[in-house]
Amino acid sequence: MSKLFSDFFKGNLFKGDKGVWMIYFFLCMISLVEIYSASSTLTYETGNHLAPVINQAGFLMAGFLVILLVHRIPCKWFMLFPFALLPLAIVFLIYATFFAPEVNETGRWIAVGPIRFQPSELGKAALIMSVAVVLAKTQVEKTVFVRGKQKTVASAIKGGRTLAFKIIMGMTVLICGLIFPENFSTAAMLALVIVVMMFIGHIPLDLMGKSALVVALMGVVAVMMMITLDTATLKSIPGCKRLATVKARFERRVESQKENNDSIDFAKYINDQNAQVTHAFIAVANSNVIGLGPGNSIERDFLFHAESDFIYSIIIEEMGLAGGAFVLF
């Protein structure tokens, strides 16, 4: 810690890629502004307008200190983390899936004393670091000549061309399979990240193509199940609760499209199950491309979690599509 303070006064606190630091501080500033704007419900309940911003600033400061410490850890030490994180993530995910009490009809959260967290976040970090270690340890570099110039590239896979692929696919199927029943979007995004890592890590494309075919077939099976089975039956099948949710959302969307928009009774379609998503869509529609301006959101008063889960819709409503694209980029 004393080293951090000495670096601070010497002006070399921010080591590493300056571009990454700029992106980080931009996101921190945007989060403070939007948390203040989107937390109208919280301020109404507590009567303290600054509490959400102070709370967010505290989290940002704690995260900043963690970043300063972590990015000083030698890279080789990170190769040891997956050996502890991966088994721990599997245990937490199994507990969250089968034993944790449901929160908003899902078991995504685990409480350890006063702290609540999503085990899927631990699973993401564990899987990404594990895949990085596998890619680093199962391939070698070789020197080649391209147009007469010497170049070093990643090449042959140690232990056979399928070794890294088998290990990575085993870990990915396990972690994403445990995340999928309660959080399809997180599982899908994590799987996509792993695919990109395998592509960059020179995993043979034919092996990746075969796995993509298997995933596509699984998707066809899932669609057929949604078409042929009713919602109650899908909910009763272990691991298919999210399919039931997708089916219900699709049916509501199809039903609403059949009616004339001028005669729709919107109260019929906004209920406890779809209120969040519907008001998020309304927030995006309110943006009118250019946005309403910071602090002028309307839907923040109707979204139950405008300051957290659905804050991106508030960002678009206030900053427009261009502002939403900027944050996404």
Side-chain angles (χ1 to χ4, degrees):
M1 187 62 72
S2 59
K3 182 68 164 58
L4 292 181
F5 286 111
S6 62
D7 285 341
F8 176 79
F9 290 109
K10 291 178 181 178
N12 60 348
L13 185 64
F14 305 109
K15 298 180 180 179
D17 193 312
K18 298 298 188 294
V20 174
W21 279 111
M22 289 295 294
I23 294 171
Y24 167 72
F25 285 118
F26 262 119
L27 292 176
C28 286
M29 290 187 291
I30 292 172
S31 73
L32 284 173
V33 172
E34 291 302 325
I35 284 289
Y36 181 75
S37 177
S39 57
S40 60
T41 301
L42 291 179
T43 57
Y44 175 78
E45 293 174 351
T46 62
N48 189 339
H49 294 277
L50 293 178
V53 177
I54 294 173
N55 187 48
Q56 175 73 358
F59 279 118
L60 290 177
M61 181 57 67
F64 177 63
L65 293 177
V66 171
I67 290 173
L68 293 180
L69 291 172
V70 170
H71 92 295
R72 280 169 167 73
I73 298 176
C75 186
K76 61 182 179 180
W77 290 13
F78 281 98
M79 292 190 175
L80 301 176
F81 290 174
F83 292 101
L85 286 182
L86 194 62
L88 188 63
I90 293 171
V91 171
F92 278 127
L93 284 169
I94 291 175
Y95 175 77
T97 302
F98 298 104
F99 305 106
E102 290 192 349
V103 178
N104 294 331
E105 296 186 353
T106 69
R108 301 178 190 174
W109 294 85
I110 288 180
V112 179
I115 301 174
R116 293 173 62 248
F117 70 97
Q118 291 179 300
S120 60
E121 297 300 318
L122 181 62
K124 286 192 291 186
L127 180 59
I128 289 173
M129 282 194 285
S130 298
V131 170
V133 170
V134 171
L135 290 172
K137 290 297 185 181
T138 57
Q139 63 184 9
V140 295
E141 293 182 342
K142 72 175 183 180
T143 301
V144 297
F145 289 90
V146 179
R147 297 177 182 177
K149 295 182 178 180
Q150 184 174 312
K151 186 177 181 181
T152 301
V153 297
S155 182
I157 305 296
K158 295 178 180 177
R161 66 191 298 272
T162 64
L163 177 61
F165 177 77
K166 289 178 179 178
I167 297 173
I168 292 171
M169 287 304 298
M171 295 187 300
T172 303
V173 169
L174 180 59
I175 296 295
C176 290
L178 288 171
I179 295 175
F180 170 79
E182 301 295 345
N183 198 337
F184 168 76
S185 57
T186 297
M189 289 298 296
L190 179 57
L192 181 61
V193 170
I194 300 305
V195 169
V196 173
M197 292 180 69
M198 288 195 294
F199 177 77
I200 295 173
H202 298 279
I203 296 296
L205 294 180
D206 61 323
L207 297 178
M208 294 176 62
K210 292 176 182 178
S211 64
L213 180 60
V214 172
V215 172
L217 291 174
M218 293 173 63
V220 171
V221 171
V223 171
M224 293 301 296
M225 290 176 64
M226 286 192 296
I227 294 174
T228 57
L229 300 178
D230 58 80
T231 302
T233 303
L234 283 173
K235 287 184 177 180
S236 65
I237 301 175
C240 291
K241 184 185 296 184
R242 300 306 295 175
L243 292 180
T245 302
V246 173
K247 179 182 176 70
R249 290 175 179 174
F250 179 76
E251 289 176 345
R252 286 196 298 269
R253 182 64 59 82
V254 171
E255 184 180 354
S256 65
Q257 292 298 321
K258 290 180 180 178
E259 300 187 25
N260 188 319
N261 286 338
D262 294 333
S263 62
I264 289 179
D265 179 10
F266 287 99
K268 172 183 176 183
Y269 296 101
I270 301 179
N271 50 50
D272 291 341
Q273 284 71 42
N274 67 5
Q276 289 286 77
V277 175
T278 303
H279 283 295
F281 285 149
I282 295 173
V284 174
N286 284 343
S287 69
N288 293 323
V289 180
I290 60 175
L292 302 179
N296 294 323
S297 170
I298 297 172
E299 289 304 310
R300 63 187 177 187
D301 296 327
F302 301 96
L303 280 165
F304 301 129
H305 299 287
E307 78 288 344
S308 56
D309 289 359
F310 284 81
I311 195 169
Y312 189 59
S313 61
I314 304 301
I315 291 174
I316 294 177
E317 185 181 20
E318 295 189 347
M319 301 174 63
L321 296 180
F326 174 76
V327 172
L328 183 63
F329 177 78

